[in-house]
Amino acid sequence: MTLPVTNHDPAFEITRASHVRMGCTNLEKSRDFYRDTVGLVVTEETDTAIYMRGLEEACHHSLVLEWTPEAKAHRVGLRVKRESDVLNAERYFKAVGIEHERVEVDHQGPTLRFRDPVGTLMEITSEMSLVERRMAAFDEFVAGAPQRLDHYQVVTYDVQEATDFWTGLGMRMSEYTAKDGTDELWGSWMEVKGNTHDLVFTNGRGPRLHHFAYTVPDATHIIHAADVAGARGFGQEIDRGPGRHGISNALFLYLRDPDQHRIELFTTHYQFIDLEDEPIRWDVSDPRRAQQWGMPASRRWFFEASEFPGEVITEPMLTATPDTLEDYLAIH
């Protein structure tokens, strides 16, 4: 296998992970979870949607909870630099045969929705309505006090194809996992904003959204979020952690919401800005890639994720059996 090469002159300029739209079967329960157990700010509520954001964020929303009879991951959102980038993306997708559609979206500027080659449902926008940042409202910091949306992780049946597509659009691979002794991709961590990742693809049944992630101020907020989850009856929904990843070097906590969508809270990772910097490679058999210390993840963390509406789930081209918490406990 050949490692993907970043196109530094893409057809349009992506600037960061921006927002995510999640289908929820009970908006009130989901709002309460993300506001009171996670600590996000409610920007606006309607009969069919709730808009939320982190404390640092000046844009109207980074999480949109949309009422739906079936819990799905509706869209993964990215920002582009200018309105002209939306137009350029539209022209590019038409030329290469990518399904796409211009849509009008509340509180967003020009928005283009599309489906990437492995079935990830995406949207890009060049602007949003602005609201007041709450980063200095320390009296309003609750639970994990999430600061800003940082990245997404998508499960895909073909990591190589997904990575080729997104590096072709300007994303840089900061770290990757590969079959031992090879560059056969099992996971790729890609960025555009200068830290380790905006968009991650890992091998498995897909397309499915594994999680979306918010940064928190420090390690104490990770512990406090876990304590609040326990106090509010969500202790069993701590899906993984606290722990420290090898990849990205972040301290993390994963939680499941009332519809079993997964959110990660983490302390921010290192910079990956300079173009001469090389991606870090991890053998897929090395357990330190997933956690530097602590127990391995459970089976549900490895194998459960949120489906995209209308997308057929495909078995992965590569197969592997991860070391799970259940396996660890069975032999210790």
Side-chain angles (χ1 to χ4, degrees):
M1 292 286 184
T2 302
L3 286 181
V5 177
T6 297
N7 176 9
H8 293 293
D9 188 24
F12 56 95
E13 188 173 356
I14 302 167
T15 61
R16 65 179 177 90
S18 170
H19 59 285
V20 60
R21 299 179 178 276
M22 303 301 293
C24 301
T25 59
N26 186 311
L27 283 179
E28 183 177 356
K29 286 183 178 179
S30 293
R31 177 205 61 201
D32 291 354
F33 173 83
Y34 284 107
R35 181 190 63 198
D36 302 331
T37 301
V38 174
L40 291 173
V41 177
V42 176
T43 305
E44 182 180 347
E45 297 185 49
T46 72
D47 290 340
T48 58
I50 298 175
Y51 299 86
M52 310 189 81
R53 69 189 194 276
L55 290 149
E56 282 184 5
E57 293 177 312
C59 287
H60 183 271
H61 56 268
S62 54
L63 171 62
V64 185
L65 307 175
E66 300 177 327
W67 183 86
T68 180
E70 192 174 13
K72 301 275 187 177
H74 286 176
R75 291 281 163 176
V76 173
L78 301 171
R79 281 292 291 268
V80 293
K81 194 166 189 178
R82 304 178 182 87
E83 182 176 351
S84 59
D85 288 300
V86 179
L87 300 174
N88 290 338
E90 195 170 21
R91 295 188 191 101
Y92 175 77
F93 291 151
K94 184 177 181 180
V96 299
I98 295 292
E99 300 174 26
H100 64 281
E101 177 188 19
R102 281 288 292 269
V103 294
E104 296 292 328
V105 179
D106 290 342
H107 309 292
Q108 293 181 195
T111 300
L112 184 68
R113 289 182 171 168
F114 63 99
R115 176 187 184 277
D116 80 1
V118 293
T120 317
L121 298 186
M122 311 288 301
E123 70 179 35
I124 59 172
T125 188
S126 58
E127 60 188 88
M128 274 191 196
S129 304
L130 293 178
V131 292
E132 182 185 4
R133 297 184 195 270
R134 307 304 297 161
M135 60 188 178
F138 297 109
D139 56 318
E140 298 177 16
F141 281 31
V142 297
Q147 302 296 288
R148 62 190 179 277
L149 183 75
D150 182 80
H151 67 265
Y152 318 98
Q153 182 168 317
V154 178
V155 186
T156 182
Y157 56 89
D158 192 336
V159 175
Q160 182 76 39
E161 183 175 11
T163 308
D164 286 342
F165 176 78
W166 286 102
T167 54
L169 293 178
M171 289 199 169
R172 295 175 64 216
M173 191 165 62
S174 63
E175 304 196 36
Y176 66 101
T177 60
K179 183 179 177 179
D180 292 17
T182 76
D183 280 335
E184 185 175 74
L185 288 180
W186 290 77
S188 61
W189 280 251
M190 293 178 287
E191 64 80 29
V192 287
K193 67 180 180 299
N195 63 15
T196 60
H197 48 294
D198 290 272
L199 185 59
V200 177
F201 286 94
T202 54
N203 185 67
R205 298 176 61 251
R208 295 179 296 156
L209 180 63
H210 186 271
H211 70 266
F212 56 98
Y214 281 83
T215 63
V216 301
D218 52 42
T220 60
H221 284 87
I222 293 283
I223 302 302
H224 188 55
D227 282 338
V228 171
R232 299 195 68 247
F234 290 99
Q236 298 304 312
E237 299 302 343
I238 294 177
D239 205 32
R240 186 178 181 187
R244 185 175 294 279
H245 287 310
I247 296 172
S248 84
N249 200 43
L251 191 70
F252 65 83
L253 179 75
Y254 293 88
L255 300 161
R256 301 287 281 271
D257 78 5
D259 285 297
Q260 294 300 289
H261 300 311
R262 184 182 290 110
I263 181 173
E264 180 188 15
L265 301 177
F266 76 105
T267 56
T268 191
H269 26 225
Y270 61 89
Q271 289 184 334
F272 189 78
I273 296 174
D274 303 319
L275 295 184
E276 71 273 19
D277 206 351
E278 296 286 342
I280 297 172
R281 182 193 175 283
W282 296 82
D283 278 337
V284 73
S285 66
D286 186 349
R288 294 174 301 168
R289 77 189 193 286
Q291 67 272 332
Q292 292 283 6
W293 45 263
M295 298 290 188
S298 67
R299 288 174 186 164
R300 77 173 190 170
W301 190 90
F302 279 112
F303 296 115
E304 295 179 12
S306 300
E307 297 182 7
F308 292 100
E311 290 300 315
V312 176
I313 302 299
T314 300
E315 295 295 326
M317 298 181 66
L318 308 174
T319 58
T321 303
D323 294 326
T324 68
L325 176 62
E326 291 84 354
D327 297 330
Y328 177 88
L329 294 175
I331 61 176
H332 286 82

